[in-house]
Amino acid sequence: MTNESAQQAGGRSSTDVLKQREFVQIFDTTLRDGLQVEGVSATVEDKLRVAEQLDHLGVSYIEGGWPGANPKDIEFFARAATELTLATATLVAFGSTRRPKGKVDDDPTLHNLIEAGTSAVCIVAKSWDYHVLNALNTTLDEGEAMIADSVEFLVGHGRRVLVDAEHFFDGYKHNQEFAIRALEAAVVKGASHLVLCDTNGGSLPHEVGSIVAEVKAHFRNDVTIAIHCHDDTGCAVANAMAAVASGARQIQGCMNGLGERTGNTNLTTVIPNLELKMGYRCLPPGNLVRLTAVSHHIAEVLNRPMNPQAPYVGTGAFAHKAGLHVSAIVRAKDAYEHIDPVAVGNGTRFIVSEMAGRATINMKAEELGLDMDGAAVGHVIDELKRLEHEGYHFEAADASLELLMRRSAGWTHDYFTVESMRVITDELPSGAFNCEATVKVWVGDERYIDVAEGNGPVNAIDTAMRSVLIRHFPQLTKVHLTDYKVRILDGTSATGATTRVLLEATNGDRSWTTIGVSPNIIEASWQALAESLVFGLLHTPGEPHSSARQ
Amino acid sequence: MTNESAQQAGGRSSTDVLKQREFVQIFDTTLRDGLQVEGVSATVEDKLRVAEQLDHLGVSYIEGGWPGANPKDIEFFARAATELTLATATLVAFGSTRRPKGKVDDDPTLHNLIEAGTSAVCIVAKSWDYHVLNALNTTLDEGEAMIADSVEFLVGHGRRVLVDAEHFFDGYKHNQEFAIRALEAAVVKGASHLVLCDTNGGSLPHEVGSIVAEVKAHFRNDVTIAIHCHDDTGCAVANAMAAVASGARQIQGCMNGLGERTGNTNLTTVIPNLELKMGYRCLPPGNLVRLTAVSHHIAEVLNRPMNPQAPYVGTGAFAHKAGLHVSAIVRAKDAYEHIDPVAVGNGTRFIVSEMAGRATINMKAEELGLDMDGAAVGHVIDELKRLEHEGYHFEAADASLELLMRRSAGWTHDYFTVESMRVITDELPSGAFNCEATVKVWVGDERYIDVAEGNGPVNAIDTAMRSVLIRHFPQLTKVHLTDYKVRILDGTSATGATTRVLLEATNGDRSWTTIGVSPNIIEASWQALAESLVFGLLHTPGEPHSSARQ
């Protein structure tokens, strides 16, 4: 079976829909609604970097924040105006309609929206009668007037105005007449988009599909319908696609499914669904391959670990574990993967674990360019079983796996040998802590003793080791640790339990992870650190200066 | 607005579907397909505990493993037969059809299935012609015979047989005639269920809905149609619901969305969708309230952190952050939450962070039973802003937040004062590491000096502190640490970066989390440990024995 025939097999109706290639705008709200997720906070600098990434991906709109509600957001729009050059995206400031019984001219929210200086603005408007009557404590007529006045004011200031109809689906189910009246008020005054929000996130695809179709039939082509979902039923992506099938032409959502509670519509999922499976266009041609890199980059900027299970962009999205399938997958990837992972900038990965068969280890050896005979492969499998039983987990530690495989193939490193080490941690009279490590190390025939301070025991050992090794291996200046993760393996007896340490390092060109396991956290850390240094020396170009001290 | 009226508002078509209350079987494959997820491995003991939880929830089927493919799984079925008493669930052994050109009587897989001793078995069968021809390397006629023979054999041994049609949707799109022929072979020989699998996970709801409807029309009531999806398009839940709407009456999936690549259909999402929103019944009446507890319990047994964003069961599923909404939510929860969280055993939560307003802090004070005046609330808000700027994160550390609020209200603890501490870590001649902590502590007017070993610096300090404190506060014997998490806050300069430590502890009745932040990991750990001890002393019953040493 060729790639082409499998693609056809996998997408029965793809030929009909591909003919359309209609455009669906992507409106990213990672920097506004996305930051409502628990546990994420972003500096203005972070937000500027995320905006650059979103533009690099090629979304149509970037909602940057709510100027006024958050002091950082005023600064964001000021800096964005001078520092960002966006190729594709339009920056949007978010706000709300004017206050009940207030006037547009002296409304602080509307004032801040204008001050933000964006060509487009998005304002939240109440379309569920209950919220107008009980949250705003005003009449339905005043609720309608708040929308009409605010849109008129903003359009009068030359802004493109998107109206975000909060709680729209619940409101429509409860009082359809008022929900439509709220939308009409916006359209009459020149809103460009009606954003139908499932604010509480409780809707299902069949409801969203039928209500959007009714709204679309009502407004025809007077306005663009946008859909804004939350994932409280696990259906945000399906809801957004149902809306598009019913005539919506803008999807609002967040990268990596960020957002309050269960998250907004995950753009990293819905974009490839629309482009690869539904026959729509969302990004500039050729940009879809940037999806995985942009997704990971944003996760890093926001200091939020990627979900390995994330569709399309997760490290596990095209990972194959079951040993017996590996050889079949290699023969015909398109019969085992729903899309070519390269289309979204991801790749096929074979996971090595205690369940690995010989085929998996052979694949991995080929990937690493190692020449391994049958005995060496058998040794790797035995070692994996033994070590994973002790608590090691090589799926997460690519560099330690590679070193294990190299050792099984007969390789040993001769970069250094540690004779002993000691770390003293003291509380100083100031109340601060001090850590000091002493290491005794052999490099070739030379014995070194060195001491270093650090901000913790592991850092102190790392610093002391480097001060020795760097004399022989100057390329180590390029290598540094980027993350340090500790897990207690037996949660029920934490203080006496086994500790697993994962260390991430980089040399600027590539990153790697090593693992250490021990009841003693320092020993586990040192195992991971030693492997990290060895891996760094093995893979960082630079002639070993073994005679540097001679 | 009453709860009732909001429920009606939120579910337009609920009254029509509620009349039906048809039953949809839940087939849980957490213990088979779920364990294919990267990074999870389970002991036989773990699997038995998960099975108990699934039965407690009330699923119809529990797929326990593939006896023979994995040696642990033979042991699991043997122990399950004697050790498990299941109230609701039927245990299922998984396997495959006989080998190509083989005979059923001497087929090891079928033999192992019978040996497993379960009343029901599920066998994987190939329904995509490509896989028969190229993966099995046999003819379509033989592919069909493999299914027919195997079902006949297993039914002949008195088993209920579910046939798992692998790659069914891709196969159906590619060669509909053979896909149906494969299913017919199973039905003719007495299979109870046809499990339609979207093995590569690439299908969308409209495709699944229409194909399941065609299959249902073909087989009518001769057999039960089951749906087995993977989340590669972020639509597994929506796909399963589309299948149910088209006549499927069994959903296969995993708790917490475990499973290979992007995970199987998330049962913790689809069950409440079906019961609360679609008018189906999946569990014994009254059992849905167990969902959150079972979900968290299974996550813990499999040592896999819960996704806080998980619909219905996540800690963030009903968490409200935006300060200005808190008071409105309190007045009318049903206007801000898509279901009553109590229905699934979860609860509303108000998140306190630097964005918190006075209303949020007041809510939290009430929750904690603290009497705080306006000045104290203002102080908490200022402290939160200052500390979160330094890297603290109180959303994740409930106990540290409570202590901060108590201090702002004027409270101070007088349990102990630390004069100084020192930890020495040494590599022993054996290569193992030794940690030894010395602490000098005041309790009241008494000064103590004590020393203790530990499996790491923090454990050594913890042990030394306890050996002092326990003389005065014997209730500390109930308190122990359960997890220790370390994060480097500035990932780009790991060795010199700020470290955030989260410590979890329990006294058997309740658990709590404290936080420490410092450039020095030992100092951060000590902050978190000190707060953990104080919180434990504050909330663990036991008369302080302040004169224990007198």
Side-chain angles (χ1 to χ4, degrees), chain B residues 4 28 56 67 121 155 159 172 199 236 262 463 504 511 517 529:
Chain B
E4 222 170 289
D28 181 281
H56 178 66
V121 296
V155 169
R159 299 302 191 270
Y172 190 87
T199 309
T262 56
T463 308
E504 281 173 36
S511 299
V517 173
L529 179 59

Side-chain angles (χ1 to χ4, degrees), chain B residues 6-41:
Chain B
Q7 292 292 358
Q8 284 165 8
R12 186 162 69 143
S13 54
S14 60
T15 37
D16 352 2
V17 284
L18 273 168
K19 285 179 202 146
Q20 309 173 23
R21 275 281 163 201
E22 269 199 72
F23 190 70
V24 174
Q25 300 169 353
I26 298 298
F27 180 106
D28 181 281
T29 181
T30 304
L31 297 178
R32 204 265 307 167
D33 231 8
L35 296 184
Q36 293 288 320
V37 70
E38 200 172 351
V40 164
S41 63

Side-chain angles (χ1 to χ4, degrees), chain A residues 470-540:
Chain A
I470 221 148
R471 306 172 204 178
H472 290 262
F473 311 105
Q475 68 267 37
L476 267 189
T477 49
K478 291 185 214 153
V479 174
H480 65 272
L481 304 182
T482 50
D483 206 356
Y484 173 64
K485 290 178 193 150
V486 178
R487 253 208 97 126
I488 304 300
L489 288 187
D490 180 358
T492 52
S493 60
T495 56
T498 299
T499 308
R500 178 194 289 157
V501 168
L502 290 173
L503 264 191
E504 281 173 34
T506 181
N507 62 9
D509 292 325
R510 60 182 290 182
S511 299
W512 58 88
T513 304
T514 53
I515 189 168
V517 173
S518 165
N520 186 304
I521 190 177
I522 306 286
E523 185 174 7
S525 303
W526 164 242
Q527 286 174 10
L529 179 60
E531 295 225 320
S532 188
L533 290 169
V534 169
F535 192 89
L537 289 168
L538 185 62
H539 288 286
T540 308

Side-chain angles (χ1 to χ4, degrees), chain A residues 41-163:
Chain A
S41 62
T43 62
V44 172
E45 188 63 40
D46 292 339
K47 293 182 74 166
L48 292 168
R49 288 174 62 197
V50 169
E52 281 166 359
Q53 286 293 311
L54 293 168
D55 186 60
H56 177 66
L57 178 63
V59 305
S60 300
Y61 292 93
I62 299 172
E63 192 165 65
W66 184 330
N70 189 335
K72 280 183 202 162
D73 289 358
I74 290 179
E75 186 189 340
F76 169 78
F77 285 107
R79 288 186 55 186
T82 56
E83 295 176 30
L84 289 184
T85 313
L86 301 178
T88 312
T90 300
L91 203 60
V92 182
F94 181 84
S96 69
T97 57
R98 69 161 170 78
R99 289 174 298 193
K101 320 274 185 209
K103 292 203 183 312
V104 289
D105 295 316
D106 59 6
D107 190 273
T109 300
L110 295 176
H111 175 79
N112 283 329
L113 277 175
I114 298 297
E115 284 292 300
T118 57
S119 63
V121 297
C122 184
I123 54 170
V124 62
K126 298 219 181 282
S127 57
W128 185 355
D129 61 352
Y130 171 83
H131 284 266
V132 175
L133 299 170
N134 295 279
L136 296 179
N137 285 312
T138 191
T139 64
L140 296 184
D141 285 344
E142 172 64 4
E144 184 188 345
M146 287 164 65
I147 300 172
D149 293 353
S150 306
V151 174
E152 186 173 41
F153 173 81
L154 292 164
V155 169
H157 280 76
R159 299 303 191 270
R160 192 182 318 168
V161 182
L162 297 85
V163 174

Side-chain angles (χ1 to χ4, degrees), chain A residues 1 9-10 12 35-41 72 128 130-131 134-135 167 170 173-174 200 202 204-207 210-211 214 231-235 237-238 241 257-263 269 273 277-278 303-305 309-312 316-317 319 321-322 331-332 335-338 349 351 354-355 393 395 418-427 431-433 435 454-457 459 462 480-489 491-492 494-497 519-523 526, chain B residues 1 9-10 12 35-41 72 128 130-131 134-135 167 170 173-174 200 202 204-206 210-211 214 231-235 237-238 241 257-263 269 273 277-278 303-305 309-312 316-317 319 321-322 331-332 335-338 349 351 354-355 393 395 418-427 431-433 435 454-457 459 462 480-489 491-492 494-497 519-523 526:
Chain A
M1 173 179 269
R12 186 162 69 143
L35 296 184
Q36 293 288 321
V37 69
E38 200 173 350
V40 164
S41 62
K72 280 183 202 162
W128 185 355
Y130 171 83
H131 284 266
N134 295 279
H167 297 290
D170 292 326
K173 291 171 199 166
H174 197 64
N200 294 350
L204 297 178
H206 65 276
E207 300 171 312
S210 70
I211 293 176
E214 288 170 25
D231 205 32
D232 297 78
T233 65
C235 291
V237 164
M241 293 195 304
L258 289 167
E260 199 172 10
R261 302 191 310 276
T262 56
T269 308
N273 277 352
K277 291 171 184 280
M278 302 275 288
N303 198 11
R304 180 161 177 97
Q309 288 188 297
Y312 294 103
K321 188 168 186 175
R331 283 207 309 277
Y336 292 90
E337 292 182 330
H338 72 113
R349 205 159 56 84
I351 304 171
E354 57 174 335
M355 287 166 70
H393 205 77
E395 288 177 16
V418 175
E419 186 183 302
S420 75
M421 56 177 63
R422 179 173 62 235
V423 193
I424 298 176
T425 308
D426 252 315
E427 197 188 359
F433 283 70
C435 283
N455 54 25
N459 180 232
D462 183 37
H480 65 272
L481 304 182
T482 50
D483 206 356
Y484 173 64
K485 290 178 193 150
V486 178
R487 253 208 97 126
I488 304 300
L489 288 187
T492 52
T495 56
N520 186 304
I521 190 177
I522 306 286
E523 185 174 7
W526 164 242
Chain B
M1 174 179 269
R12 186 162 69 143
L35 296 184
Q36 293 288 320
V37 70
E38 200 172 351
V40 164
S41 63
K72 280 182 201 163
W128 184 355
Y130 172 82
H131 283 266
N134 295 278
H167 296 289
D170 291 326
K173 291 171 200 167
H174 196 63
N200 294 350
L204 297 178
H206 66 277
S210 69
I211 293 176
E214 288 171 26
D231 205 30
D232 298 79
T233 65
C235 291
V237 164
M241 293 193 305
L258 289 166
E260 199 172 12
R261 303 192 309 275
T262 56
T269 308
N273 277 351
K277 292 171 185 278
M278 304 274 289
N303 197 11
R304 180 159 177 99
Q309 288 188 298
Y312 295 103
K321 188 167 185 175
R331 283 208 310 276
Y336 292 90
E337 292 182 329
H338 70 113
R349 205 159 57 85
I351 305 170
E354 58 174 333
M355 287 166 69
H393 205 76
E395 288 178 17
V418 175
E419 184 184 302
S420 74
M421 55 177 62
R422 178 172 62 237
V423 193
I424 298 176
T425 308
D426 252 314
E427 196 187 0
F433 282 71
C435 284
N455 55 24
N459 180 231
D462 183 37
H480 65 271
L481 304 183
T482 50
D483 206 357
Y484 173 63
K485 289 180 194 148
V486 178
R487 252 208 98 127
I488 306 299
L489 288 187
T492 52
T495 57
N520 187 305
I521 188 175
I522 306 287
E523 185 175 6
W526 164 242

Side-chain angles (χ1 to χ4, degrees), chain A residues 258-486:
Chain A
L258 289 167
E260 199 172 10
R261 302 191 310 276
T262 56
N264 290 55
T265 302
N266 192 339
L267 294 180
T268 50
T269 308
V270 81
I271 291 172
N273 277 352
L274 287 174
E275 288 225 340
L276 298 175
K277 291 171 184 280
M278 302 275 288
Y280 293 97
R281 198 162 59 75
C282 308
L283 303 176
N287 276 25
L288 188 62
V289 294
R290 301 177 180 174
L291 188 70
T292 299
V294 168
S295 153
H296 288 242
H297 193 118
I298 288 174
E300 202 176 300
V301 171
L302 297 178
N303 198 11
R304 180 161 177 97
M306 275 299 295
N307 175 7
Q309 288 188 297
Y312 294 103
V313 297
T315 52
F318 302 96
H320 301 278
K321 188 168 186 175
L324 64 161
H325 283 162
V326 169
S327 51
I329 294 167
V330 174
R331 283 207 309 277
K333 283 182 56 180
D334 43 352
Y336 292 90
E337 292 182 330
H338 72 113
I339 60 150
D340 181 355
V342 172
V344 292
N346 207 339
T348 301
R349 205 159 56 84
F350 293 104
I351 304 171
V352 174
S353 81
E354 57 174 335
M355 287 166 70
R358 288 183 169 265
T360 316
I361 301 293
N362 281 325
M363 280 293 305
K364 195 81 192 175
E366 201 176 303
E367 198 181 308
L368 297 173
L370 297 182
D371 191 21
M372 298 185 78
D373 61 15
V377 170
H379 186 256
V380 169
I381 291 172
D382 292 346
E383 280 289 280
L384 282 176
K385 283 195 177 140
R386 184 180 67 78
L387 290 168
E388 299 218 338
H389 185 73
E390 285 180 22
Y392 285 80
H393 205 77
F394 288 93
E395 288 177 16
D398 54 346
S400 290
L401 174 66
E402 179 177 330
L403 295 178
L404 185 154
M405 289 179 66
R406 286 183 183 274
R407 286 194 298 268
S408 292
W411 177 83
T412 52
H413 87 85
D414 56 358
Y415 298 117
F416 59 85
T417 315
V418 175
E419 186 183 302
S420 75
M421 56 177 63
R422 179 173 62 235
V423 193
I424 298 176
T425 308
D426 252 315
E427 197 188 359
L428 301 177
S430 67
F433 283 70
N434 182 53
C435 283
E436 186 185 296
T438 309
V439 296
K440 297 173 186 172
V441 187
W442 292 82
V443 183
D445 296 334
E446 302 258 355
R447 180 171 183 271
Y448 298 93
I449 173 162
D450 216 327
V451 63
E453 287 183 318
N455 54 25
V458 182
N459 180 232
I461 296 171
D462 183 37
T463 308
M465 285 297 296
R466 276 159 191 280
S467 82
V468 170
L469 295 177
I470 221 148
R471 306 172 204 178
H472 290 262
F473 311 105
Q475 68 267 37
L476 267 189
T477 49
K478 291 185 214 153
V479 174
H480 65 272
L481 304 182
T482 50
D483 206 356
Y484 173 64
K485 290 178 193 150
V486 178

